[in-house]
Amino acid sequence: MKIYETKLPKRKVVKNILKKNNHEVDVYQNPLEIDNSKLSKYDLILLDIMMPGIDGISFCKDIRAKVDCPILFLTAKTMEEDIVEGLLIGGDDYITKPFDTELLLYKIKAILQRSAVLENEDQEQFKISNIFFDSMLRQLRVGDNEYKLSPKENELLKLLCIHRNDFMPRDLALRKIWKKENYFTARSMDVYIAKLRKLLKDDEGLEIINVH
């Protein structure tokens, strides 16, 4: 992870927060200090809009011309046009200073998880335990039983397979599949989770677990 931040105390604070949460971090005050050909090695860039030498908006454009690494803006600016411009030219999210530590960590986690999903979206076939799942054909085989999945069952199972042995955020599935997050879409998702559990119940090596 890379941080571009203008003030030394804040750079140190952010770096310490991230390192305590098991992130590897490089910190720079001036974006002109680094060889931009190395940008591709980072999973996420935290970018201050106000920097010496080049502003964050212009530097974001420069990054986007080279790599598709997720970008989170760190900024004291709260003007709507700055936030909108940053997101339009390639930023993934923003957080205004001073910020809450838990909110920063949540945003970083959400961006990294979305990035991980995008990297694995091209995978169409999954073999997990005793099931075989082909998301292109919407076919699920559990032992000797074969099922044709509905579109939403198919999308939800694919997300779960991508996140196998890991935590899949509920809001990620709601935004990606249902396109919105509210009480009604959450209840709809619960129904589809129940349907998938019923289809997978004969495989003792596989389980969908809710984490509260």
Side-chain angles (χ1 to χ4, degrees):
M1 189 178 303
K2 177 182 285 192
I3 301 172
Y4 290 106
E5 164 64 66
T6 55
K7 296 182 179 179
L8 181 60
K10 290 181 180 178
R11 294 203 305 271
K12 287 185 175 180
V13 169
V14 175
K15 180 178 181 179
N16 289 337
I17 290 171
L18 297 178
K19 291 191 75 171
K20 286 180 180 178
N21 285 270
N22 301 315
H23 294 292
E24 294 183 10
V25 183
D26 291 333
V27 182
Y28 297 89
Q29 179 181 10
N30 190 330
L32 303 177
E33 296 173 356
I34 188 167
D35 180 358
N36 288 336
S37 64
K38 298 179 180 179
L39 287 171
S40 60
K41 78 173 186 176
Y42 295 103
D43 297 317
L44 174 66
I45 295 174
L46 276 65
L47 183 60
D48 196 338
I49 286 183
M50 301 298 293
M51 297 184 297
I54 183 172
D55 66 273
I57 300 293
S58 299
F59 189 51
C60 181
K61 291 180 181 178
D62 188 48
I63 293 172
R64 277 289 165 265
K66 296 179 175 69
V67 297
D68 197 30
C69 176
I71 297 172
L72 172 63
F73 283 110
L74 296 174
T75 177
K77 289 190 172 184
T78 56
M79 295 175 63
E80 184 176 342
E81 56 266 30
D82 294 309
I83 295 170
V84 171
E85 183 180 6
L87 297 177
L88 286 176
I89 56 91
D92 293 85
D93 204 346
Y94 71 94
I95 187 168
T96 55
K97 300 178 289 187
F99 51 79
D100 177 76
T101 298
E102 290 188 6
L103 178 59
L104 174 64
L105 293 173
Y106 173 81
K107 283 179 174 281
I108 289 173
K109 182 177 181 180
I111 290 174
L112 292 177
Q113 286 172 332
R114 288 198 299 269
S115 180
V117 169
L118 290 173
E119 289 178 0
N120 290 282
E121 277 190 334
D122 290 339
Q123 184 176 353
E124 301 292 350
Q125 297 183 337
F126 301 86
K127 177 70 173 70
I128 305 173
S129 188
N130 293 318
I131 77 160
F132 177 77
F133 170 47
D134 189 321
S135 63
M136 178 66 74
L137 301 176
R138 287 196 278 127
Q139 291 181 343
L140 171 66
R141 186 171 70 243
V142 184
D144 296 327
N145 300 313
E146 292 191 7
Y147 307 96
K148 182 73 171 181
L149 301 180
S150 71
K152 276 192 169 62
E153 288 172 341
N154 188 67
E155 289 184 76
L156 185 55
L157 183 57
K158 182 173 181 177
L159 272 183
L160 290 168
C161 287
I162 290 173
H163 287 84
R164 58 189 177 276
N165 301 319
D166 199 359
F167 173 73
M168 184 192 77
R170 187 180 184 86
D171 58 344
L172 173 66
L174 289 172
R175 289 195 306 269
K176 183 169 180 58
I177 301 172
W178 280 265
K179 309 306 180 186
K180 61 179 67 175
E181 182 182 357
N182 57 42
Y183 173 83
F184 300 103
T185 56
R187 297 288 73 78
S188 175
M189 180 176 166
D190 289 339
V191 171
Y192 280 92
I193 288 288
K195 289 181 179 179
L196 291 178
R197 282 199 175 106
K198 186 174 182 180
L199 295 177
L200 300 171
K201 64 181 176 61
D202 292 332
D203 188 342
E204 297 181 355
L206 199 62
E207 186 178 9
I208 301 173
I209 301 174
N210 286 341
V211 179
H212 301 284

